[in-house]
Amino acid sequence: MTGMAGVRFWRETDSRYNLAGNRCGNCGTVYFPPRPVCLKCHRESLGKMVELRLKGTGEVLSFTVVHETKRNFEIQLPYIMAIIRMDEGPALTAQLVDCSPGEVKIGSRVRAVFRRIGEEGRAGVIYYGYKFVLV
Amino acid sequence: MRDVAVLGVGITQFGELWESSLRELGIQAGLEAMRDAGIRSDEIDALFVGNMAAGRLIDQTHIGALIADHAGLAGRNVPAVTIECADASGAAAFHHAYLSVASGLHDVVIVGGAEKMTDLPDEEVTEIMATSLDQQWEAFFGATLFSEYAMIARRHMHEYGTTREQLAAVAVKNHAHGALNPKAQFQRPIKLETVQNAPAVAEPLGVLDCAPISDGAAALVLCSADRARKASDSYVRVIASAQAGDTLAMHSRGGLCSFNATRAAMEKALKLAGKSRNEIDLAEVHDVTTISEILAIEDLGFFPKGEGGRAAESKITAIGGELPVNTSGGLKARGHPLGATGIAQVIELVQQLKGKAGKRQVKSARLGLAHNIGGCGATAFVHILEAV
């Protein structure tokens, strides 16, 4: 591991810890993570993207129970991945925790919680961010 | 732009090829393509190679130079480039090789695709494949390529009533096709129950819903149609090669049940070819999972949205059906050595259109379509080939 391996994690912490996104001042579309340019308004949105923190609530668009995964996530198996439509509009990908798969449905209401996501190797950087729980 | 033809093809066995290195596979496919085309190495103007992840899979970047060197092209200072679009790298290399001949810049080029995936343990390959997603906003949180497709599958079942049996029917069909392809990784038919009862990868998808980890390489010789006409009475014309894109993260799109990149690439390809989709006789589509084939045949417009599952179940897409899909066995059974897949798809079309597909031959096939996806739908290529 190189000396600066942690940088790519802390660079994103405002969005991962605080759900910082942004909103197009031209058309009102909300983005998460924040985008420099609105996908609909293009140049009309330049300089008009306004920071906005998501409230952390939304609903499940789809989910899966993962049984085969990549290095460093195997210790968590099986785990639930979901795509969640946030109440402000954007969707994101996250784990659903503190519930059994049988309790989750498409359309289930969920809210964000702050959790440990994983670590790089056995002695590596521990990184944190959002997971979701049923409400 | 001038007309472009496929003059020759070469493909290695796909599978777990412990004894073969990436360079050996690449050269084997390339030499076979040159032999098939009847050309000498001093006629080659350029080499294009599709490769997704050799930098991590075998710690080697610069794959174009590697293959050119060991194929003996370096001595003539032939230009070689590696092209990456995740697991659509093969199609991307084909697209740019095609453009280089169509533009008149080159007369004869080799385009190959190669990947060596079995030198690393599965969990590392899974991690590397997930780098085709948005690493910071999908994969970081634990998403894998197959977990993304699993979420598409669940949503497709929810919105359209697609069933577990229909997903499994895609695998059964493609394994039946693979059993007729001597280059396929899996050449054994499987039963519906076997697919449904296989260990889960990401629910509702099991091991037999997902393409395997594979080694393999494939190569084509492309040249101008004028040259092909003089050299041979047996060649295939490339009448369209189109690409379209979408957001890197799947969650940033409007819905989960459609790949707009596929739709856009298809519209462009049909326009370039001057054909309508009902003229297509067979298609090789990106079945990296069973739901992927269902999505592909819907988004290509062959079946209405929600009807893709029934297509496999009712054998419309089997050899002998109205629109045979993945006659090679597809990514599912032929195998999915990432960068090689897009080239292997075109080779299947060439063999079918030349009437040389053996036991899996589609009768009187004139027009074939190849569809290759990068990652989970951020990149799509569609090529259309015509028999001469």
Side-chain angles (χ1 to χ4, degrees):
Chain A
M1 205 178 74
T2 57
M4 298 306 284
V7 172
R8 63 187 171 124
F9 300 120
W10 61 247
R11 213 186 273 138
E12 313 290 356
T13 48
D14 196 26
S15 287
R16 289 203 184 127
Y17 293 4
N18 306 316
L19 290 170
N22 63 0
R23 183 175 153 277
C24 172
N26 201 49
C27 75
T29 304
V30 177
Y31 293 99
F32 180 84
R35 285 182 183 264
V37 178
C38 174
L39 294 182
K40 295 172 186 163
C41 302
H42 308 284
R43 69 182 303 158
E44 300 299 317
S45 67
L46 287 177
K48 296 180 190 166
M49 303 301 288
V50 187
E51 189 182 314
L52 176 138
R53 295 196 175 199
L54 304 182
K55 289 183 312 225
T57 51
E59 73 173 55
V60 173
L61 287 183
S62 192
F63 67 99
T64 178
V65 185
V66 180
H67 294 271
E68 274 191 22
T69 190
K70 47 197 180 174
R71 203 174 41 165
N72 297 338
F73 278 88
E74 289 182 307
I75 193 168
Q76 303 181 33
L77 288 176
Y79 58 88
I80 306 173
M81 288 305 307
I83 293 180
I84 294 153
R85 174 75 65 198
M86 303 302 287
D87 289 341
E88 293 86 348
L92 51 76
T93 301
Q95 289 188 26
L96 279 183
V97 291
D98 300 346
C99 60
S100 67
E103 298 174 77
V104 186
K105 289 185 176 59
I106 288 178
S108 291
R109 294 288 302 166
V110 293
R111 71 177 166 83
V113 290
F114 182 72
R115 293 291 165 89
R116 172 190 175 123
I117 304 293
E119 61 188 277
E120 285 219 316
R122 285 174 62 192
V125 181
I126 295 173
Y127 43 89
Y128 298 88
Y130 47 78
K131 293 186 180 181
F132 283 72
V133 296
L134 295 172
V135 292
Chain B
M1 299 253 279
R2 57 182 179 165
D3 282 353
V4 176
V6 180
L7 194 59
V9 303
I11 184 166
T12 67
Q13 189 67 48
F14 279 15
E16 295 180 342
L17 310 174
W18 309 111
E19 65 291 341
S20 304
S21 66
L22 182 84
R23 78 178 74 187
E24 287 164 348
L25 292 168
I27 290 159
Q28 189 190 327
L31 292 178
E32 192 184 313
M34 285 169 60
R35 231 184 349 261
D36 187 45
I39 59 158
R40 299 187 316 273
S41 66
D42 61 6
E43 296 175 89
I44 296 168
D45 295 323
L47 170 68
F48 296 80
V49 181
N51 176 270
M52 170 174 162
R56 290 197 63 186
L57 289 165
I58 61 167
D59 293 332
Q60 174 73 60
T61 60
H62 221 166
I63 297 302
L66 171 83
I67 306 275
D69 180 3
H70 290 268
L73 300 174
R76 284 182 43 249
N77 306 112
V78 170
V81 65
T82 316
I83 294 184
E84 187 266 316
C85 276
D87 43 345
S89 297
F94 178 82
H95 183 70
H96 290 277
Y98 162 81
L99 290 177
S100 83
V101 176
S103 71
L105 181 67
H106 297 308
D107 277 325
V108 180
V109 302
I110 292 207
V111 50
E115 209 79 50
K116 176 76 194 172
M117 300 176 74
T118 62
D119 280 355
L120 289 181
D122 289 0
E123 66 274 16
E124 287 192 49
V125 174
T126 299
E127 178 181 317
I128 292 165
M129 287 173 71
T131 64
S132 65
L133 308 175
D134 188 325
Q135 179 65 27
Q136 294 302 321
W137 302 103
E138 292 178 306
F140 173 87
F141 295 96
T144 64
L145 184 67
F146 293 143
S147 78
E148 293 293 290
Y149 278 104
M151 289 194 276
I152 293 175
R154 190 183 299 273
R155 186 76 202 186
H156 204 278
M157 292 162 124
H158 175 78
E159 284 188 33
Y160 300 105
T162 298
T163 65
R164 182 67 189 90
E165 290 72 21
Q166 289 170 343
L167 295 176
V170 174
V172 170
K173 169 182 74 71
N174 291 351
H175 278 255
H177 291 174
L180 306 174
N181 181 357
K183 296 294 175 76
Q185 181 161 358
F186 301 122
Q187 298 180 33
R188 205 161 46 90
I190 52 173
K191 293 196 172 86
L192 206 65
E193 307 82 73
T194 316
V195 182
Q196 289 179 258
N197 297 329
V201 171
E203 295 176 37
L205 304 178
V207 171
L208 289 170
D209 288 281
C210 301
I213 289 169
S214 319
D215 304 324
L220 302 162
V221 175
L222 296 183
C223 67
S224 66
D226 283 343
R227 185 184 171 117
R229 208 170 293 125
K230 286 173 203 149
S232 163
D233 53 8
S234 159
Y235 65 93
V236 167
R237 270 178 68 213
V238 183
I239 59 171
S241 176
Q243 179 187 6
D246 206 337
T247 62
L248 182 58
M250 182 168 78
H251 59 230
S252 299
R253 302 173 200 157
L256 303 182
C257 292
S258 198
F259 282 171
N260 287 333
T262 296
R263 290 171 176 241
M266 180 61 161
E267 291 313 317
K268 278 192 214 179
L270 289 174
K271 200 171 167 197
L272 285 165
K275 303 284 182 188
S276 69
R277 54 172 62 71
N278 57 23
E279 293 178 84
I280 305 286
D281 295 309
L282 77 153
E284 286 287 300
V285 308
H286 194 84
D287 60 327
V288 68
T289 61
T290 50
I291 188 66
S292 315
E293 177 170 314
I294 291 172
L295 219 60
I297 61 178
E298 293 172 352
D299 290 334
L300 291 167
F302 292 128
F303 298 93
K305 192 46 78 181
E307 296 291 322
R310 263 184 285 276
E313 200 170 38
S314 60
K315 303 198 190 309
I316 298 173
T317 50
I319 294 171
E322 277 169 55
L323 179 72
V325 172
N326 286 326
T327 55
S328 66
L331 285 60
K332 265 299 301 138
R334 182 190 56 227
H336 184 35
L338 313 168
T341 285
I343 302 296
Q345 292 179 323
V346 174
I347 291 180
E348 177 66 13
L349 298 183
V350 170
Q351 289 172 336
Q352 289 282 359
L353 297 175
K354 282 183 163 185
K356 290 182 176 171
K359 288 179 186 164
R360 58 186 197 285
Q361 182 65 46
V362 174
K363 284 198 187 95
S364 55
R366 300 286 307 161
L367 272 188
L369 178 143
H371 162 259
N372 195 188
I373 288 285
C376 201
T379 295
F381 283 91
V382 172
H383 320 296
I384 302 175
L385 280 76
E386 184 173 43
V388 171

